[in-house]
Structures are given as structure tokens and as C-alpha cells.
Amino acid sequence: FGEVPWYAWLPTLAFWVPLMICLLLATSSLAIVFHRQWVRHEQLPYPISVFAHSLLPGPGKARGGVFRQRAFWVGALLLFCIHMNNYLCRFWPDVLIPVRLWLDFPPLSTMVPTLIRGQGGMLLRPTLYFAVIALAYFIPSDVSFSMGTIPFIFCYIQGTLAGYGIMLRQGNHLSTKLEAFLFTGGYFGIMLMVFYTGRHYYINVLRRSVGMRSREQVEPHVVWAMRIFMVATVAFVTQLSMGGLDWQLSLLYTGIAFMIFIVVSRTIAETGAFHIGSEIFPGAIIIGIFGAAALGPRSIIMMFLLSAVLLGAPGWSSMPFLVQGLKLADMSEVRIGRLTKWIFIALGLSLLISLPMTIYWQYDQGVPKGGWPRSLSSFPFETLVKTKHQLAAQGSLLQSEAVSGWGRFAAMRPTGPCILAFFIAVGLALGIGFGRLRFRNWPFHPVVFVFLGGHQAKMMGVSFLIGWLVKALVNKYGGARVYQATKPFMIGILAGEMTARLVPMLVGSIVYFVTGQSPQQYFG
């Protein structure tokens, strides 16, 4: 441990740690502020929290009531046995027969060339995620139907546009492309609806947090959370400005970042879709708004690095987990006010432990040789080099380095197609949201704009569609009684799959510590 050159990391940590602390404080406070509105007023389904709570014992009980349900054990043992059989096939492939967990329709690709041209080939070989199928049973039908159909619709539209030479996806994740602005417009539309539906509550919270009277009672811990959010946000913007980013860009960057965290947290609370990737990076979006010549290489690389470090995986950030945890505490009748201080203590301890251990493991075992972390770390520099070459070819490189402050607005050259894509997505998201509020049998939900045709949508879409179909058939032919009776079976499926995923981790750890050899990996 002492061989790690900790002193060399001090300047780097002096910049990043305060930023991380402010971001953690701000997003954690937002989770507390949104909690009551989402849980009590809007009554979002929170399928992951409902599943976790069903396993916990009630007051005066030794175990959860679901463990006394036969249907639960049937579902749990079924999934556990399937996954254990497939895992053991890694060791004895000549003895056991694996249960195939994917569907194979690639021969149909010749019948749907537009879908294939729209990068929808993955949809013809979908993996069945039983956890997703079970989660779809607990969420509104329009959400699961939207999640299941939108990848096909989007890929078909993308393929049609590609036939006319209009490419929605080009370059890496930090490139300025139409697809990123479609996602951004969808996120922005969802955020507008989030604020609109809870506008009365949020206004009252804001009024109380600045010392004004409110029309309804607001809990003290929510008031303090809002104050912490405002202070942490100001500190975050200030640090970015001191680091060399104009305060105007710092403010815009921060707003886009918070939009991402809010919409991702909201999506997980509504859908239980636990795998949400990064399709929006504020740096790339700001380039599309201003143009590279109005920003300059220094501002561009700084925003790119911030995005790579802080926004590489918003679905696994603290805010979505806290949103789920607060719902679980609420269902368990734990006082949120008393829980709040432990939230910040836990986050502080996590930061103190994770930072030095991550640095130590990278020196001890080396950095990842491939995968998303490796790719993401190279994107900022690849994109910057390409941008600098473009500016140099246009003869505007030196001029871009001299622009600053409000002068960037005078030098703005927005990317027209990207801005158009943004407003189209905003309009569609608001239109879908309005239709859902006004029409009883409206089939779509704005959450589709969090996934569209991204990798996660293609990966989980068919499973959501199967879950929607199962729920529809149960409701149609069995009614409410059969629907309620089937819930323990679905909870069992979730529990069985989670337990089966845990066993290879434990076995692999034991194998590694005993033999020193890499264990057999299992992906299902």
C-alpha cells in the first residue's frame, strides 16, 4: 500500500474530490426533495423497492410474508435451477445441457432490411431477462409496452433516414450527433413534466428554503435538503469557474448534468429499468449549441473530462439508489428526517473508502484493458484532436482560443440539424406526456426518450414486451384476483435470478483466493 505514489495524486484529488463532494451533496439533497412528491402525491410504482420490501419481515415477524407463499418458491427455484445449470455447464460442458436464454431470429433480417440498416440487428437475437419480465408485471402497462416497442420503432425510423443519407449516430459518445440531441430533447421534455406535475409542492419547498411562508406544510428535513442543494450547486459552479470554465458555461453544464440525474432517477422509480447507459454528455451538447469556434479547445477538453469522470454511468450514481432507498424506508415506516443524516454519513464513508482503494487496485492490478471505462477515457482526447483539426482547417483555431465570457454568445454558431432534433424530441415528449394525462387508453409513456434505440433499449426491450404481454393476458383472462395471486411468483422469479447471480460471484471469489486463478465468468 505504501508503494503507491500518493503524493503525486494530491493535485488531482484536490480538484476532483471537492467537485465530487458537491455533486454528491446536491444530488442526494434532490433525492430527498423529490421523495414526497413522487411517493405520496404521484404514487410512482417503485418496482425495485417493492420487491425488496416484500422480502423484509413485518413488525414482530421473523421473515417476510412472501416466503410463506408456494408460488414464490416455485418461481425462485425455477430461475435458480436454470441459472445454476447454465453456470455448471461452464465446468462440465460435455455432461450438462444448457438452457438457452435467448431467441434467435437473424434469418428474418432479409425481411426487415430497414430495421437492420437502422442498427436493429440486436433486436433479432434478444436475451430473455426474467428479472425485467417480472419487473414489468409491477409497473403500468403503458410503460412496459413503450419500453418494448420503442426500440423497433426507433431503429426502423433510423434505418429509413439512413436510406436518405441522414445519419442519427456518428462518431463516439462525445461527438456532436443527432441522436444525442434527440435524447437531450426527450430528457428535457420529461424534466419539464416532472416540474409541472409537482409545481405546487416544489414552489412551497423553495419558498420555505429561503425563509418565506408556504401554502402547505413542508417537512424540516426537506427544507434543509433544498438549502444544501442550493449551496452545493453554487459551490460546484464556482469550482468549475475557478478551474478555467466560464461561469456561463459552468452554469449550463451543471443544469444539463442535474437534468440527467433527475430523469434517470425518475425513470428507475417508474420502470425499474436498472440498466440505463449514458447517451447524453453535456460537453458534446454544448458544442452543438455554441459551435466549436465559440468555445475553444480548453473549454471543450475540460467539459469532456468532466463528462467522462462524473457522468459516465448516471444509472449507477448515488441519486437513483437513494431514491429507491428512501421509498424502501418509507414503506418500512422509517422516519425520513432521522434517516437523512445517515445518508450523508454513508456517502462520506463511501467516498473515503472507494477513492484510495480504486487508486491502489489500479496500481496493483492495472487499469482495464478494454470495455466501457477504457473507451470512455479515450473519447475526450480523440474528439478534441478531431475538433482542433477542423478548427485549424477552417482557419478559426486561434480565434476560438481568444473568445471568452459573453463573447461566446456573440460567436455562437449552433448546429442547425441538432437543434431541430432537440426541439422535435421536446415536442414529442410533451405530446406523449399530455396524451397520457388526458386519454385513458393512451399506449405510450414519455420514458421511451430515455432509451430510444440505445444499447440498453435493445437489450431489455423484448423482455419488457413479454412482461407486458403476460400482464395483459393475466388481467384479461384471470382478472384482478389472478393478477394478485401471481405477484408472489413474479417476486420469486426476481429473487431466484438475483440469488443465482450471486452464487458465481461467491464461488469465483473463493476460487481466486484459494488458487490465484481467474474464475469462470457467467453472464447468463
Side-chain angles (χ1 to χ4, degrees):
F1 198 80
E3 296 178 2
V4 178
W6 299 106
Y7 61 91
W9 281 91
L10 292 179
T12 301
L13 295 177
F15 174 80
W16 287 106
V17 171
L19 279 177
M20 292 179 182
I21 291 175
C22 290
L23 191 63
L24 281 173
L25 288 174
T27 54
S28 303
S29 301
L30 277 179
I32 297 170
V33 170
F34 285 121
H35 170 69
R36 182 179 178 184
Q37 172 65 26
W38 291 357
V39 171
R40 303 287 178 83
H41 299 166
E42 299 183 41
Q43 298 184 358
L44 300 184
Y46 287 88
I48 295 177
S49 299
V50 170
F51 160 70
H53 184 260
S54 67
L55 303 179
L56 298 177
K61 303 292 184 179
R63 58 178 181 174
V66 72
F67 291 103
R68 295 188 292 271
Q69 301 284 337
R70 181 179 300 178
F72 167 82
W73 289 107
V74 171
L77 291 174
L78 176 63
L79 262 294
F80 184 81
C81 291
I82 289 175
H83 283 292
M84 285 300 96
N85 174 77
N86 290 354
Y87 177 56
L88 293 175
C89 284
R90 299 273 182 169
F91 299 93
W92 298 291
D94 298 329
V95 177
L96 299 175
I97 301 175
V99 178
R100 196 171 72 174
L101 299 180
W102 67 88
L103 305 177
D104 201 5
F105 300 122
L108 298 178
S109 59
T110 56
M111 301 176 61
V112 284
T114 304
L115 185 73
I116 302 302
R117 190 167 56 241
Q119 303 180 15
M122 185 177 175
L123 294 170
L124 298 182
R125 199 175 187 271
T127 299
L128 299 180
Y129 294 97
F130 288 94
V132 175
I133 295 173
L135 285 172
Y137 197 76
F138 295 94
I139 61 178
S141 297
D142 62 331
V143 174
S144 53
F145 179 77
S146 300
M147 295 285 292
T149 56
I150 191 59
F152 293 92
I153 297 173
F154 184 85
C155 289
Y156 190 85
I157 294 174
Q158 186 173 233
T160 302
L161 293 175
Y164 291 97
I166 302 173
M167 306 302 296
L168 297 183
R169 179 179 296 179
Q170 289 179 315
N172 58 45
H173 282 71
L174 288 175
S175 302
T176 301
K177 51 189 176 181
L178 293 174
E179 184 187 48
F181 277 81
L182 287 173
F183 275 102
T184 305
Y187 272 59
F188 186 71
I190 293 173
M191 189 179 69
L192 289 179
M193 287 182 286
V194 167
F195 288 138
Y196 175 77
T197 54
R199 60 192 181 280
H200 298 297
Y201 176 70
Y202 301 138
I203 290 174
N204 287 322
V205 172
L206 184 61
R207 290 174 62 90
R208 283 293 308 278
S209 64
V210 297
M212 300 174 63
R213 294 182 178 180
S214 60
R215 295 182 180 179
E216 64 179 73
Q217 184 66 27
V218 180
E219 297 93 333
H221 68 271
V222 177
V223 175
W224 280 106
M226 188 65 185
R227 290 170 179 169
I228 293 174
F229 164 74
M230 291 189 292
V231 172
T233 301
V234 172
F236 185 80
V237 173
T238 302
Q239 289 179 77
L240 293 184
S241 301
M242 293 174 62
L245 197 64
D246 292 340
W247 69 266
Q248 297 94 335
L249 296 180
S250 300
L251 198 60
L252 180 58
Y253 184 97
T254 304
I256 297 174
F258 285 150
M259 176 189 72
I260 295 171
F261 288 121
I262 291 171
V263 173
V264 167
S265 301
R266 170 83 178 204
T267 299
I268 296 177
E270 283 203 67
T271 68
F274 45 82
H275 192 37
I276 300 179
S278 301
E279 302 292 347
I280 304 175
F281 288 93
I285 301 304
I286 293 175
I287 290 179
I289 296 173
F290 281 84
L295 297 175
R298 178 181 173 83
S299 297
I300 290 174
I301 189 60
M302 187 172 180
M303 289 188 294
F304 281 173
L305 290 174
L306 286 167
S307 299
V309 174
L310 302 178
L311 291 163
W316 293 270
S317 61
S318 61
M319 187 174 175
F321 287 100
L322 285 175
V323 167
Q324 301 297 319
L326 290 171
K327 170 62 176 180
L328 184 61
D330 189 78
M331 296 174 68
S332 303
E333 299 181 357
V334 175
R335 290 177 57 187
I336 304 300
R338 294 184 60 185
L339 185 65
T340 300
K341 64 178 181 180
W342 293 106
I343 289 175
F344 292 108
I345 291 174
L347 288 172
L349 289 174
S350 300
L351 197 62
L352 286 174
I353 295 172
S354 61
L355 277 176
M357 293 312 301
T358 300
I359 295 173
Y360 168 77
W361 279 323
Q362 288 185 343
Y363 276 97
D364 186 54
Q365 299 293 328
V367 298
K369 297 181 180 179
W372 175 242
R374 184 75 173 189
S375 300
L376 184 59
S377 64
S378 65
F379 288 162
F381 305 101
E382 293 175 0
T383 310
L384 178 67
V385 170
K386 180 180 178 181
T387 303
K388 287 189 69 174
H389 286 167
Q390 290 177 343
L391 291 174
Q394 296 168 358
S396 56
L397 179 59
L398 295 177
Q399 181 183 357
S400 68
E401 294 174 342
V403 181
S404 63
W406 292 108
R408 300 189 190 280
F409 290 85
M412 283 180 63
R413 297 294 184 273
T415 306
C418 290
I419 301 300
L420 178 61
F422 171 82
F423 283 107
I424 289 175
V426 172
L428 289 174
L430 292 176
I432 292 175
F434 176 81
R436 185 172 184 264
L437 292 174
R438 295 295 181 182
F439 302 104
R440 181 179 178 182
N441 295 321
W442 186 261
F444 294 107
H445 190 284
V447 75
V448 298
F449 287 95
V450 179
F451 295 92
L452 290 178
H455 174 75
Q456 289 76 20
K458 299 171 187 175
M459 186 178 71
M460 297 185 294
V462 173
S463 297
F464 268 110
L465 195 60
I466 293 174
W468 166 81
L469 181 62
V470 169
K471 182 179 178 180
L473 293 175
V474 168
N475 282 324
K476 182 175 182 179
Y477 295 105
R481 184 181 61 83
V482 176
Y483 173 77
Q484 294 296 331
T486 311
K487 279 186 175 181
F489 177 76
M490 293 298 179
I491 295 173
I493 287 178
L494 277 165
E497 178 140 4
M498 289 185 64
T499 306
R501 300 285 182 177
L502 179 64
V503 170
M505 296 170 60
L506 297 176
V507 173
S509 300
I510 295 172
V511 169
Y512 175 77
F513 283 113
V514 173
T515 66
Q517 298 178 355
S518 299
Q520 285 280 357
Q521 296 184 349
Y522 176 67
F523 300 103

